[in-house]
Amino acid sequence: MKKVAFYSVLLIVGLVVSQFLPELAGSGFSSLNKVITVLTMTALAFIMIHVGYEFEIDKSNIKPYGWDYVVAMTAATFPWILVTLYFVFVLIPPEFWANWDAWKESLLAGRFAAPTSAGVLFSMLAAAGLSASWLFKKARILAIFDDLDTVLLMIPLKMLILGIAWQLGVIVLVMVILVWIAWKYLHKINISSKWQWVLLYSFIIVIISEIIHWGSLQIDTSVPIHLEVLLPAFVLGAIMKHPEGSDPHSDDEREGHQEGPESPEEQRVSSIISGIFMVLVGLSMPSIIGGNEVSAVKETAQSLTATLEMPGWGMIMFHVLMVTIISNIGKMFPAFCYRKEANFKTRLALAIGMWPRGEVGAGVLVVSIGFGIGGHILTVALLSLTLNLVLTGVFIYMVKRLVGTKA
């Protein structure tokens, strides 16, 4: 658990520094923030390529994966519904409960609670020595499906706000094609899996994603095409052919093992990049200290949520705690599934393993800011995401204790 503790410290360091970056960087903050985003996504892509590299699927028995998708969908949907209801019926005055704008804005802001951070989860579980466990293999499938559901469900939300747009259909089409490629060519393509090449692949995926995003903005600034790197990176890893005679799972039981090729050099580099990723995830969190996008949106946004009166900080922190609790309760459905595959403690550990949030949830909040959502709803959402991120190490410790391994 020393590695988990170290990763937790790196997350917190990144979070603390993120609160002072806008003031320290001044006018250069926007450019610096873009660099942090690119680096974060590159590290995430690196991790996800390795996750895909070790991913196995039984093509002769695909029925269980359909159920996995349903379970993952609940893990992405239930927290969203619970947080949205809390935003509407607790944070918004009763006279606005029938206001459609209040519901739309709450639905979008509440989406931050849905996605499990796949990169953080996989790195932390591997660091805890759980790579060979049933829990890890199941969490790997659920977390990937969970994030896919988050991307898919953002599409109808954007349609509610912007109307139907062809750009949103492009995103769905690309996702379908990528899933088909992973299925068709699983571990069949002979391309290098050495860390230098994987890092290059990761950077290229991020650059292509950014170019597509930039190009879509030239066509229509209101509906940009933003392809998340998680799926293409995972698919690239999934189609990589394993070298003859190698076993990517040979050292899964070793504590600290990271996903990817098993050579000591590859494992060392993977650990370093996972550590860097933790810092970058912390740095990616929007700041609540003056001079940033959140403060600006409070002053300039015209949305209903941005015009609501701010409660005192004591009440804000109470709401942060409540939103964090109910969003994690929403992730608990997996604990009541897979009764034939694992005991209750292991299933409970699986559900708790889905609690870590991170870069995807932060991305949802950035989108919310872009649509003018502000006020105390955005503040509560941001602080809840931050609290959940700080507690990641605690969650992983709980998981390890539940599965009965030595902490």
Side-chain angles (χ1 to χ4, degrees):
M1 289 295 289
K2 289 181 180 178
K3 201 169 187 179
V4 173
F6 181 61
Y7 282 172
S8 299
V9 170
L10 293 177
L11 273 170
I12 294 170
V13 168
L15 277 166
V16 171
V17 174
S18 73
Q19 301 307 300
F20 301 97
L21 271 184
E23 184 177 347
L24 293 174
S27 60
F29 175 68
S30 180
S31 298
L32 177 60
N33 196 43
K34 186 51 133 179
V35 171
I36 291 172
T37 299
V38 170
L39 292 176
T40 304
M41 292 302 102
T42 300
L44 175 61
F46 184 95
I47 293 168
M48 292 309 300
I49 288 174
H50 279 170
V51 170
Y53 181 81
E54 294 207 12
F55 183 73
E56 304 287 350
I57 190 170
D58 184 1
K59 291 186 177 182
S60 64
N61 184 26
I62 63 171
K63 187 176 179 180
Y65 300 106
W67 176 239
D68 288 337
Y69 186 83
V70 172
V71 174
M73 185 171 63
T74 68
T77 304
F78 289 172
W80 173 40
I81 293 173
L82 292 176
V83 171
T84 298
L85 292 174
Y86 189 90
F87 282 171
V88 172
F89 293 115
V90 178
L91 296 184
I92 294 178
E95 59 265 28
F96 294 110
W97 289 355
N99 187 308
W100 179 230
D101 286 337
W103 280 95
K104 286 193 296 185
E105 293 170 20
S106 297
L107 282 166
L108 182 56
R111 197 78 192 117
F112 89 93
T116 297
S117 176
V120 171
L121 174 63
F122 299 147
S123 296
M124 285 290 201
L125 289 179
L130 298 174
S131 297
S133 65
W134 172 89
L135 181 147
F136 184 89
K137 294 171 184 176
K138 188 62 68 176
R140 177 164 50 195
I141 295 173
L142 294 183
I144 291 168
F145 283 164
D146 176 300
D147 281 350
L148 291 181
D149 271 334
T150 296
V151 175
L152 287 172
L153 286 171
M154 284 296 289
I155 292 173
L157 278 178
K158 289 181 179 180
M159 287 181 176
L160 281 176
I161 296 173
L162 300 172
I164 297 175
W166 63 267
Q167 293 95 325
L168 302 176
V170 169
I171 296 174
V172 176
L173 178 62
V174 170
M175 291 175 67
V176 170
I177 292 173
L178 287 172
V179 170
W180 178 83
I181 290 173
W183 172 265
K184 180 75 174 177
Y185 299 103
L186 185 66
H187 301 310
K188 291 182 178 179
I189 308 300
N190 192 17
I191 55 177
S192 178
S193 60
K194 292 185 179 299
W195 72 263
Q196 298 94 329
W197 284 100
V198 173
L199 193 58
L200 178 61
Y201 304 151
S202 303
F203 183 70
I204 291 173
I205 288 171
V206 173
I207 293 303
I208 291 175
S209 174
E210 290 299 314
I211 289 173
I212 292 173
H213 181 251
W214 176 84
S216 67
L217 287 173
Q218 308 311 303
I219 300 171
D220 186 350
T221 57
S222 64
V223 194
I225 297 175
H226 202 169
L227 299 174
E228 300 294 339
V229 301
L230 183 144
L231 182 58
F234 171 80
V235 169
L236 179 60
I239 65 175
M240 284 181 174
K241 186 177 181 179
H242 298 151
E244 293 295 330
S246 71
D247 179 10
H249 306 289
S250 62
D251 60 353
D252 282 3
E253 294 186 15
R254 179 173 59 83
E255 184 163 319
H257 162 80
Q258 297 291 315
E259 295 284 87
E262 66 274 17
S263 74
E265 181 187 10
E266 294 285 344
Q267 285 293 300
R268 184 167 56 252
V269 173
S270 294
S271 295
I272 291 171
I273 290 181
S274 290
I276 293 172
F277 175 68
M278 296 300 165
V279 177
L280 290 169
V281 169
L283 289 174
S284 299
M285 294 298 108
S287 170
I288 58 170
I289 297 175
N292 57 33
E293 298 100 324
V294 177
S295 298
V297 83
K298 289 176 185 175
E299 296 174 3
T300 63
Q302 299 301 312
S303 68
L304 184 148
T305 51
T307 62
L308 298 176
E309 183 180 352
M310 284 282 288
W313 277 104
M315 284 303 299
I316 286 287
M317 297 313 297
F318 171 78
H319 293 314
V320 168
L321 181 61
M322 293 304 298
V323 166
T324 303
I325 291 172
I326 65 172
S327 68
N328 286 336
I329 288 175
K331 290 280 187 182
M332 295 306 295
F333 185 70
F336 304 98
C337 308
Y338 308 116
R339 295 185 180 185
K340 294 181 179 179
E341 300 179 43
N343 60 38
F344 178 71
K345 280 190 176 182
T346 302
R347 289 182 278 121
L348 179 61
L350 174 64
I352 294 173
M354 301 295 287
W355 286 1
R357 313 300 208 282
E359 70 291 337
V360 181
V364 171
L365 291 181
V366 170
V367 171
S368 300
I369 292 169
F371 284 120
I373 295 172
H376 59 290
I377 282 182
L378 184 66
T379 301
V380 169
L382 174 57
L383 290 175
S384 175
L385 179 64
T386 302
L387 175 60
N388 218 297
L389 196 58
V390 169
L391 292 173
T392 298
V394 176
F395 299 155
I396 301 303
Y397 178 81
M398 292 168 63
V399 168
K400 192 158 186 178
R401 294 293 293 181
L402 282 168
V403 297
T405 54
K406 234 181 228 186

